Amino acid sequence: MQQLTNRSIALKSRPVGMPTEQNFEYREAPVQEPEAGQVVVRSVYLSVDPYMRGRMSDAKSYVAPYELNEVISGGIVGEIVASKSDLFKAGDKVIGMLGWQLYNVVDAKLVRKIDESIAPLSAYLSVLGLTGLTAYFGLLDIGQPKAGETVVVSGAAGSVGMFVGQIAKIQGARAVGIAGTDEKCAYLINELGFDAAINYKTTKDLGKALEEACPNGVDVYFDNVGGSVSDAVINLLNDYARIPLCGAISSYNSTDGDMGPRIQSKIIKTRSLMKGFVLGDYASRQQEGLTQLGKWLSEGKLKYEETIVDGFDHIIDAFLQLFQGTNLGKMLVKVD
Amino acid sequence: MQQLTNRSIALKSRPVGMPTEQNFEYREAPVQEPEAGQVVVRSVYLSVDPYMRGRMSDAKSYVAPYELNEVISGGIVGEIVASKSDLFKAGDKVIGMLGWQLYNVVDAKLVRKIDESIAPLSAYLSVLGLTGLTAYFGLLDIGQPKAGETVVVSGAAGSVGMFVGQIAKIQGARAVGIAGTDEKCAYLINELGFDAAINYKTTKDLGKALEEACPNGVDVYFDNVGGSVSDAVINLLNDYARIPLCGAISSYNSTDGDMGPRIQSKIIKTRSLMKGFVLGDYASRQQEGLTQLGKWLSEGKLKYEETIVDGFDHIIDAFLQLFQGTNLGKMLVKVD
């Protein structure tokens, strides 16, 4: 293997509130030779996701916190550039949870081969990856929308939300999205077939806008954001509503306690169900989800959108943009 | 049938905040002769319950609001004093959802015969009635405690709570009760076998007291009260915790919006489940519940407690006492 220079990004200090560049450290070092059973993966696309903010803190959560002074990890699609494993040869495209670096030298069992003839490489980080599967299992297993019911999704133009609305439509439900710009709302309605979309930033009375968009109330609320948006949706729950709790992005950088109206009385009155979940809860059903998502994709029933930021040096930028609501669909970084 | 004089209590106006005597009207009228198929039931024990506060408002809820100027209804155990039905004869003891009056003249199908040889009449309004069944289904169907897990119940010395803790113990779980007086806490531990009990009114740091009482965290939180007590318990949830939401008595008379820390982030991080329920959701399984509760009662595994207020004129008093936390176990009024 020719001598390659690696670059990586480590967590230097734990952010308080919104992370800044100062919380991270860029490093350079030679790429090590792979040992027996290892492969060298050149990063092509790198996924930045809101859940990573949680891992940067050391609070107890569903995934272990990132270690200080260690390279940050996440979903990465790449190409094998050297292999000492029978599983892969140079040129193979793979996906895995890898480090934020130009090259990862890892055990071959930690990556999975992907097929560029089925979908573009980047799709394996969205519709055929974690975000598609998250929408699939959260909506269908917890939300269980029925034909004619109303599904509201917050963060609707985000990487998970846009699949939630489309899968709701496939199930015959009414899909109502909440997003943060008029462009996103137009996209949800015109391109993805949502029945209605609300710009929560410019709408003066979110409760009233939701009532108009949901004349029959809310049966499923797929929640990506938490905060006051969720307060307004919960107020409109129908009896036996279901709330898959996927994210609370509005509170991830909150340092003020995240106060709001208590929801228990409403949950009782409507006998609703609220359940937090992570994709890992459905590990044993991953293939089922990928097969169904691939089928819908090939039938043209699922569209996906990406916001691609170019260059390894812009990873932190791209990550921080997640919290400014600028991205449409999955936020990715093209590394090379 | 001899001419009897009836007395009844109607809802005169909808309470704002805590109800007062002025919201109710006492009436007197002759008891009507039963028609074919009807029975006349003399009230013996009358149940007052927190959920009735909700019915006094006209907000949308799981049961229809009480109508203004109509007699208030609830669970009543009584004796048949006249029957024009083949189903009952004078002297039979029955239970039903009947009006707050000395005598109810109703279709015989609206009441169910009960057997004084199995348990005292009043037990059919608690352990062998709505509150026992509510504890049974909420804890076992939603909470699903496993041996060795920790179950916390708020309102633990209340009519539902004391069964929750005892059934948790029967399942091999650790039972921790939260109640409002030292006497209640002592009762929970010494008489009902709870592992720990916390007086939330006198404990300076409820969070710390809960941590000490729940060294392994909280797996099931059976919530009867809502409010800041629930905030503290939710803070200690283990992964995959379950929260049967039974009541939010702390908010029923609230007129200030019931604000608190939002719980969604914690529910996500722990992938917990929260579900509101009412006993009516389990109507088809009622006999299963009554059979099991009766079995545990006969085996001495379930104890129950009643606070009995004497006299029809003290019904409103008894109802209001529910919100002052003075009752131990089921609050009943002995009518005659």
Side-chain angles (χ1 to χ4, degrees):
Chain A
M1 191 175 81
Q2 65 177 113
Q3 186 51 55
L4 298 166
T5 298
N6 209 0
R7 299 185 61 208
S8 60
I9 302 177
L11 183 67
K12 195 167 67 179
S13 59
R14 302 204 179 278
V16 176
M18 192 66 71
T20 69
E21 290 276 357
Q22 279 64 52
N23 297 121
F24 305 95
E25 183 176 72
Y26 289 77
R27 297 173 177 175
E28 256 186 58
V31 175
Q32 294 188 309
E33 282 290 323
E35 296 174 12
Q38 288 190 322
V39 291
V40 180
V41 184
R42 180 176 61 81
S43 299
V44 178
Y45 289 104
L46 183 151
S47 176
V48 291
D49 299 276
Y51 79 85
M52 294 170 167
R53 174 63 186 84
R55 297 194 64 184
M56 291 172 189
S57 302
D58 56 4
K60 192 184 168 208
S61 185
Y62 50 83
V63 278
Y66 292 125
E67 296 287 339
L68 279 181
N69 300 312
E70 297 282 330
V71 173
I72 291 174
S73 60
I76 290 181
V77 158
E79 180 179 355
I80 303 284
V81 292
S83 173
K84 290 204 175 155
S85 160
D86 296 340
L87 298 173
F88 300 102
K89 59 179 192 305
D92 283 349
K93 306 299 191 298
V94 296
I95 186 169
M97 291 298 284
L98 301 173
W100 281 6
Q101 42 198 1
L102 297 180
Y103 299 92
N104 280 277
V105 183
V106 294
D107 190 300
K109 289 175 187 149
L110 292 182
V111 295
R112 178 169 62 86
K113 199 167 173 175
I114 56 179
D115 185 349
E116 216 170 351
S117 73
I118 294 177
L121 288 186
S122 61
Y124 291 89
L125 289 172
S126 60
V127 58
L128 297 181
L130 301 186
T131 56
L133 288 169
T134 298
Y136 179 88
F137 288 114
L139 181 64
L140 297 184
D141 190 65
I142 301 173
Q144 301 188 17
K146 294 170 200 66
E149 288 193 330
T150 297
V151 174
V152 173
V153 53
S154 58
S159 56
V160 173
M162 58 172 57
F163 299 126
V164 171
Q166 292 181 86
I167 298 172
K169 291 301 295 177
I170 292 171
Q171 304 299 312
R174 177 176 177 82
V176 176
I178 303 174
T181 70
D182 288 346
E183 291 68 27
K184 288 179 179 179
C185 289
Y187 173 81
L188 294 174
I189 293 172
N190 300 331
E191 300 296 325
L192 301 187
F194 279 55
D195 296 282
I198 299 170
N199 180 344
Y200 74 95
K201 286 189 178 166
T202 57
T203 299
K204 278 180 192 155
D205 185 339
L206 181 57
K208 187 152 167 278
L210 276 164
E211 276 184 55
E212 287 168 10
C214 309
N216 299 317
V218 177
D219 300 294
V220 179
Y221 173 42
F222 193 105
D223 188 4
N224 287 305
V225 306
S228 59
V229 167
S230 292
D231 300 339
V233 180
I234 287 170
N235 203 33
L236 295 178
L237 293 183
N238 287 333
D239 286 354
Y240 300 103
R242 289 82 64 194
I243 307 176
L245 278 185
C246 179
I249 195 168
S250 73
S251 73
Y252 291 174
N253 295 301
S254 163
T255 52
D256 68 354
D258 191 25
M259 302 288 284
R262 291 198 183 87
I263 60 176
Q264 283 94 327
S265 288
K266 185 69 180 182
I267 303 286
I268 295 176
K269 280 179 188 162
T270 57
R271 290 91 87 203
S272 292
L273 176 147
M274 168 176 275
K275 182 157 184 3
F277 74 101
V278 291
L279 184 53
D281 299 340
Y282 298 96
S284 65
R285 293 174 58 190
Q286 179 171 322
Q287 199 49 54
E288 166 205 329
L290 289 174
T291 302
Q292 183 62 68
L293 290 165
K295 185 164 177 285
W296 286 331
L297 192 64
S298 67
E299 293 169 351
K301 291 181 179 169
L302 269 189
K303 296 181 183 176
Y304 65 100
E305 194 77 23
E306 296 160 341
T307 295
I308 295 180
V309 172
D310 261 313
F312 188 83
D313 287 334
H314 295 117
I315 292 176
I316 303 299
D317 277 353
F319 174 67
L320 294 178
Q321 278 181 48
L322 289 173
F323 301 99
Q324 291 148 19
T326 52
N327 58 305
L328 183 63
K330 185 72 191 82
M331 179 71 102
L332 299 174
V333 177
K334 192 162 188 305
V335 173
D336 55 353
Chain B
M1 192 176 78
Q2 67 177 109
Q3 186 52 54
L4 298 166
T5 298
N6 209 359
R7 299 185 60 208
S8 61
I9 302 177
L11 183 67
K12 196 167 67 179
S13 60
R14 300 204 182 277
V16 176
M18 192 66 70
T20 68
E21 289 276 357
Q22 279 64 51
N23 297 120
F24 306 94
E25 183 174 75
Y26 289 78
R27 296 172 177 175
E28 256 187 59
V31 175
Q32 294 188 312
E33 282 291 323
E35 297 174 10
Q38 286 190 322
V39 290
V40 180
V41 183
R42 180 176 60 81
S43 300
V44 178
Y45 290 103
L46 182 152
S47 176
V48 290
D49 298 277
Y51 78 84
M52 293 170 167
R53 175 62 185 85
R55 298 195 65 184
M56 291 173 189
S57 301
D58 55 6
K60 192 185 169 210
S61 185
Y62 50 82
V63 278
Y66 292 125
E67 297 287 340
L68 280 181
N69 299 312
E70 297 283 329
V71 174
I72 291 173
S73 60
I76 289 180
V77 158
E79 180 179 356
I80 302 284
V81 293
S83 173
K84 288 201 175 159
S85 160
D86 296 339
L87 298 173
F88 300 100
K89 61 179 191 302
D92 283 349
K93 305 301 190 298
V94 296
I95 186 169
M97 292 297 283
L98 303 173
W100 280 6
Q101 43 198 358
L102 296 180
Y103 298 92
N104 280 277
V105 183
V106 293
D107 190 300
K109 288 173 187 149
L110 293 182
V111 294
R112 177 170 63 84
K113 198 166 173 176
I114 56 179
D115 184 348
E116 216 169 351
S117 74
I118 294 177
L121 288 185
S122 61
Y124 290 89
L125 290 173
S126 60
V127 59
L128 297 180
L130 303 184
T131 56
L133 288 168
T134 298
Y136 179 88
F137 288 115
L139 180 64
L140 297 184
D141 190 65
I142 301 173
Q144 301 188 16
K146 296 172 199 63
E149 288 192 330
T150 297
V151 174
V152 173
V153 53
S154 58
S159 55
V160 172
M162 60 171 57
F163 298 126
V164 170
Q166 293 182 85
I167 298 171
K169 290 301 295 177
I170 292 171
Q171 305 298 311
R174 177 176 176 83
V176 176
I178 303 174
T181 69
D182 289 344
E183 291 69 27
K184 287 179 179 179
C185 290
Y187 174 80
L188 294 174
I189 294 173
N190 300 331
E191 300 295 325
L192 300 187
F194 278 57
D195 296 282
I198 298 169
N199 180 344
Y200 75 93
K201 286 190 179 165
T202 57
T203 299
K204 278 178 190 155
D205 185 339
L206 181 57
K208 188 153 167 276
L210 276 164
E211 277 185 53
E212 288 169 7
C214 308
N216 298 317
V218 176
D219 300 292
V220 179
Y221 174 41
F222 193 107
D223 188 4
N224 287 306
V225 306
S228 59
V229 166
S230 293
D231 300 339
V233 181
I234 287 169
N235 205 33
L236 295 179
L237 293 183
N238 286 334
D239 286 354
Y240 301 104
R242 290 81 67 193
I243 307 176
L245 279 185
C246 180
I249 195 167
S250 73
S251 72
Y252 292 173
N253 294 300
S254 162
T255 51
D256 67 356
D258 192 26
M259 302 288 282
R262 292 197 182 88
I263 60 176
Q264 283 95 327
S265 287
K266 185 69 181 180
I267 302 284
I268 295 176
K269 280 180 188 161
T270 57
R271 291 91 89 204
S272 292
L273 176 147
M274 170 178 272
K275 183 159 185 359
F277 75 101
V278 291
L279 185 55
D281 298 339
Y282 298 96
S284 66
R285 293 174 58 190
Q286 180 171 320
Q287 197 51 53
E288 166 205 328
L290 289 175
T291 301
Q292 184 61 68
L293 289 165
K295 184 164 177 288
W296 285 332
L297 193 65
S298 68
E299 293 169 350
K301 290 180 180 170
L302 270 189
K303 296 181 183 179
Y304 64 99
E305 195 75 23
E306 297 159 339
T307 297
I308 297 181
V309 171
D310 261 313
F312 188 83
D313 287 335
H314 295 116
I315 292 176
I316 303 300
D317 277 351
F319 174 66
L320 294 178
Q321 279 181 46
L322 289 173
F323 302 99
Q324 291 150 16
T326 51
N327 58 306
L328 183 64
K330 185 74 191 79
M331 180 71 104
L332 300 174
V333 177
K334 190 160 193 306
V335 174
D336 56 352

